[in-house]
Amino acid sequence: MTATLSFADQLGDSPVHKNFRDHPFFAMVDTADFTKEQAGTLLEQWWHPLHYFPTFLARCVAVLPDIASKSAITRILNQEAGGGKASRAHEVIYADSMEKAGFERDRVVGTAPYPETAALVEGYRKASESRESALGFIFATETTDLLMVSSIGKAIERTTGVTDNEWVSIHVEQEPDHVEEANHVLLADFSADQEHAVLEAADEMWQLWTAFFDRLVLEVGVGASTPAG
């Protein structure tokens, strides 16, 4: 008898997800020659989805119909926005910690997005317009965020020698909470059509992030990934 995968397992087993996790960028930060300028390009582009993420979460709270989901996502939003202290908001810690690591603050927060970066942010905006797409993007983000954040930490360490970046550290500390809350919102009852819509949205998010990193590896001289079939 064939075992039936749970909803969360179906999301995690997506070929698009696996393609994203195998992106060459994540190997590059471990093995390829990597300059501070190239690391700066990553930080400058990462700023845009980071800056928009609290807005995305707030829009998700508004669109989700049940209080359990609203409560779960509000916990993530509260941590992202600093828990009532703007100085502890992730984007503020990001700008401060990158400046301390030797990167130009104005460039980190003020560089224009590549088209792929702008498309990623727009994808988050559109996803927050309906329950299923919002949940798909939330789950997909939180289950892969630590992989992406770790790659930034490696890039910073290899190019500056800084090993205790505060923004990376706070992600490592808080990400288990975010994954837990993302899983909580998937415990609701879904119809087959609703599950399919959530799965499609998660795949769309991973495709947008794949395009984001494809552009980055082209900018820093590493070949782009092969799209999932």
Side-chain angles (χ1 to χ4, degrees):
M1 183 171 65
T2 302
T4 301
L5 291 176
S6 70
F7 191 16
D9 286 340
Q10 290 180 65
L11 284 161
D13 202 45
S14 162
V16 182
H17 178 214
K18 292 178 179 179
N19 183 69
F20 169 75
R21 292 187 66 88
D22 291 338
H23 199 285
F25 182 87
F26 304 127
M28 181 193 73
V29 295
D30 280 328
T31 60
D33 289 335
F34 204 66
T35 67
K36 185 178 177 182
E37 182 179 0
Q38 290 168 328
T41 299
L42 166 62
L43 299 178
E44 292 155 13
Q45 293 304 306
W46 183 271
W47 165 260
H48 297 283
L50 169 68
H51 176 62
Y52 186 74
F53 196 57
T55 300
F56 164 74
L57 292 173
R59 286 168 59 93
C60 290
V61 171
V63 77
L64 293 172
D66 61 291
I67 192 61
S69 294
K70 290 178 185 289
S71 179
I73 302 311
T74 297
R75 185 182 180 197
I76 301 175
L77 173 59
N78 187 53
Q79 291 183 335
E80 290 282 340
K85 297 180 180 179
S87 63
R88 301 305 300 162
H90 284 201
E91 70 169 58
V92 176
I93 293 174
Y94 182 82
D96 289 346
S97 64
M98 300 315 165
E99 185 174 33
K100 289 177 183 177
F103 296 94
E104 294 182 30
R105 188 186 191 96
D106 288 346
R107 290 195 60 178
V108 169
V109 305
T111 299
Y114 295 141
E116 294 83 356
T117 305
L120 173 63
V121 173
E122 174 63 10
Y124 274 98
R125 187 197 67 77
K126 289 177 62 179
S128 64
E129 294 177 348
S130 72
R131 178 198 186 200
E132 289 75 25
S133 58
L135 294 180
F137 268 61
I138 289 168
F139 180 85
T141 299
E142 298 302 349
T143 55
T144 50
D145 192 44
L146 200 55
L147 170 66
M148 296 188 285
V149 171
S150 295
S151 74
I152 293 176
K154 291 174 185 176
I156 295 169
E157 181 176 350
R158 291 190 65 200
T159 58
T160 69
V162 174
T163 60
D164 58 348
N165 182 274
E166 185 180 7
W167 177 77
V168 175
S169 297
I170 199 170
H171 263 79
V172 172
E173 175 187 340
Q174 295 181 352
E175 194 58 32
D177 291 340
H178 293 193
V179 173
E180 178 183 2
E181 298 304 338
N183 282 320
H184 281 167
V185 300
L186 295 180
L187 296 178
D189 292 328
F190 293 95
S191 68
D193 286 345
Q194 288 171 327
E195 284 194 6
H196 181 70
V198 174
L199 291 167
E200 280 196 332
D203 279 349
E204 179 184 355
M205 195 224 72
W206 286 316
Q207 288 169 338
L208 288 168
W209 274 111
T210 297
F212 173 90
F213 282 104
D214 279 348
R215 179 61 185 267
L216 282 177
V217 294
L218 289 174
E219 292 294 326
V220 300
V222 178
S225 65
T226 301

